[in-house]
Amino acid sequence: MSNKVDSQTKLNLEENNPSETDSINRQNNSNEYIVDERKVVNVEISKVFPNPLNPRKNDKIRTEELQEILDKRGWEEPLTGYKAGSRYILLGGHRRLRAAKGHNEKPENANKQITHIPIYVVDRPLDEQEELERIASLQGARVNWSPFDWGKYVYDKWVKWGKPPINRFVKKIDGVSTTLAKQYINVFDYFPIKEIQGELEKNSLNMSALDAMVNWMGHLKNLHPQVVQDLGESFIRKHMLDKIIDKKITRDILRNKEFLKQATDDDVMDFLSDPDKSLEEHMEYLGISKKSTDFNGRLISLGHTKKSLAEDFNPTTESERVNGIARLKEVLEQGEATLRKLEALKGTFDSNENKKKETQSVK
């Protein structure tokens, strides 16, 4: 198995393109050879290490398939890494390294161990930021990254750059919208990685729900500080994560602030103390409507509508365009009617505001 780089791969390449064989395997079992003018070294598998900065933490994906490829065709392409002392640190090829080690662990492969791995040897990155960039580049421009991979990559880069304003930060990072970047940073800046990584990889959690939970926890601390003091933020956080995983809480209900605004401390305690109680059912039991009942809440909703019109109103068909025009006309007509109503109320509240000011000045 250890000689597949120089024998089986050579045979495969000769069948398809004899000229490529010379560029890969003219060295005849040498530890070093040249591929596309780059040096390749056959390295003992025990000396090849995964990169701790690799954002993709689940390297077990396609392990069985990759093991089968290794067993049948050997190393069709070297991995990429740099030398650090006597070791080699990977920049690309983490899944194939995992597959090779998994192959060796199987009892049926005891007599055909993979002992060496071909490594494209490149210069060591100057710093962590360059290392992250090179890892990302080698992983297919991050196309196959999971939400966890993306989130950790964006957060680590944001921290490395000194936590600049997100709007400015996003302009310098490819492939991530401002909204997603804010979610990633919000989530990774709040949660310990060990609390969310496994469930994110299993899709039991998602970034938008976690982002909504971070904001919910912030409102909880502001509106019910005694509850947080009594139970502890860590306890509440873990309890809320379990409720999301068990589908007792949704992203949309977390975004709704009415429960925290209207509930008493005891109401909140009752919700948190029962792992089987959903937030929506608890609100219904308490008679708390999900709709905002105050004027400021309506203004906030109006702001969301404005943002949606500005960013997300992009039809993809003629039918959507026509329907969009019709609905927007309805919205504009209602908006004009509401505007006239508000303008007609001019002067109505002046006396009340003056009385409040006079009362405050007397006090």
Side-chain angles (χ1 to χ4, degrees):
M1 191 72 181
S2 61
N3 290 328
K4 283 189 175 182
V5 172
D6 298 309
S7 56
Q8 185 170 342
T9 301
K10 182 176 179 179
L11 290 173
N12 291 338
L13 287 165
E14 285 175 341
E15 290 176 3
N16 298 315
N17 190 343
S19 64
E20 290 187 11
T21 307
D22 291 341
S23 68
I24 290 185
N25 286 309
R26 277 296 185 193
Q27 306 305 317
N28 296 325
N29 296 323
S30 171
N31 276 341
E32 296 186 8
Y33 52 97
I34 304 298
V35 177
D36 297 331
E37 300 182 354
R38 292 188 291 174
K39 184 174 78 170
V40 176
V41 178
N42 280 330
V43 181
E44 291 180 23
I45 191 170
S46 61
K47 294 183 178 180
V48 181
F49 287 77
N51 197 308
L53 296 178
N54 179 24
R56 180 188 283 157
K57 295 304 178 184
N58 185 8
D59 290 324
K60 295 181 180 179
I61 297 173
R62 296 181 61 221
T63 293
E64 292 296 327
E65 178 185 345
L66 291 171
Q67 286 180 12
E68 185 176 346
I69 291 172
L70 285 173
D71 194 43
K72 291 181 178 179
R73 301 201 292 269
W75 297 101
E76 296 184 307
E77 180 77 15
L79 284 61
T80 301
Y82 62 87
K83 192 171 184 181
S86 61
R87 302 175 301 165
Y88 289 80
I89 309 299
L90 288 186
L91 293 172
H94 291 80
R95 287 180 178 173
R96 285 180 289 159
L97 174 62
R98 167 79 73 170
K101 290 183 176 180
H103 168 95
N104 289 347
E105 291 170 359
K106 291 183 177 180
E108 62 268 29
N109 295 329
N111 295 324
K112 51 176 182 178
Q113 294 282 290
I114 299 175
T115 60
H116 288 72
I117 295 178
I119 304 288
Y120 276 128
V121 181
V122 298
D123 293 337
R124 186 170 186 161
L126 297 176
D127 53 32
E128 286 189 3
Q129 186 54 44
E130 181 185 337
E131 196 153 357
L132 276 169
E133 289 289 351
R134 289 166 70 177
I135 292 170
S137 176
L138 288 165
Q139 290 183 357
R142 307 184 287 273
V143 170
N144 296 317
W145 282 14
S146 69
F148 179 85
D149 298 334
W150 265 110
K152 188 173 185 306
Y153 170 75
V154 170
Y155 179 72
D156 287 347
K157 177 173 280 193
W158 179 69
V159 171
K160 181 70 175 178
W161 289 1
K163 300 185 177 181
I166 295 177
N167 289 337
R168 192 176 71 199
F169 166 71
V170 170
K171 292 178 181 179
K172 298 181 180 180
I173 183 170
D174 295 329
V176 181
S177 67
T178 301
T179 300
L180 274 177
K182 287 179 178 178
Q183 280 189 4
Y184 293 150
I185 291 169
N186 205 26
V187 168
F188 279 85
D189 205 40
Y190 179 74
F191 289 100
I193 287 180
K194 64 181 180 180
E195 289 185 4
I196 60 174
Q197 179 178 349
E199 299 301 332
L200 276 172
E201 290 173 347
K202 293 190 295 185
N203 294 319
S204 301
L205 293 173
N206 61 72
M207 284 294 175
S208 59
L210 290 174
D211 178 59
M213 183 183 146
V214 174
N215 296 328
W216 191 91
M217 291 292 294
H219 294 307
L220 177 68
K221 287 188 281 187
N222 289 331
L223 297 172
H224 300 277
Q226 191 61 48
V227 172
V228 179
Q229 182 176 334
D230 290 346
L231 294 179
E233 185 172 353
S234 177
F235 172 85
I236 298 172
R237 185 180 65 242
K238 293 174 183 177
H239 198 74
M240 291 291 288
L241 283 173
D242 287 340
K243 280 181 175 282
I244 295 176
I245 293 168
D246 294 337
K247 303 189 184 306
K248 302 299 181 182
I249 304 174
T250 65
R251 176 201 63 184
D252 291 339
I253 201 68
L254 284 170
R255 288 177 174 176
N256 187 288
K257 302 180 181 67
E258 294 307 304
F259 172 67
L260 293 177
K261 285 163 61 177
Q262 299 182 43
T264 65
D265 283 2
D266 287 340
D267 294 333
V268 177
M269 284 284 198
D270 287 343
F271 167 67
L272 292 173
S273 64
D274 186 348
D276 296 323
K277 185 173 291 185
S278 78
L279 182 52
E280 192 164 1
E281 289 174 351
H282 193 49
M283 289 176 66
E284 185 176 346
Y285 171 77
L286 295 172
I288 297 176
S289 173
K290 289 185 288 184
K291 294 183 178 180
S292 179
T293 56
D294 63 359
F295 188 76
N296 287 331
R298 300 289 173 84
L299 288 180
I300 292 172
S301 297
L302 191 60
H304 292 326
T305 302
K306 176 185 174 183
K307 182 178 180 181
S308 177
L309 289 173
E311 296 181 357
D312 305 324
F313 221 71
N314 299 307
T316 57
T317 66
E318 177 62 15
S319 175
E320 289 179 352
R321 187 189 71 83
V322 172
N323 290 335
I325 291 173
R327 293 302 299 273
L328 275 174
K329 285 182 177 178
E330 293 177 6
V331 171
L332 289 172
E333 288 174 2
Q334 183 59 58
E336 289 175 354
T338 303
L339 180 60
R340 289 193 295 270
K341 176 182 176 181
L342 292 177
E343 288 175 340
L345 293 173
K346 183 178 180 180
T348 304
F349 307 105
D350 290 352
S351 58
N352 292 333
E353 290 179 354
N354 289 336
K355 286 180 181 179
K356 288 180 181 178
K357 292 178 180 178
E358 289 174 3
T359 304
Q360 290 172 353
S361 63
V362 170
K363 291 180 180 179

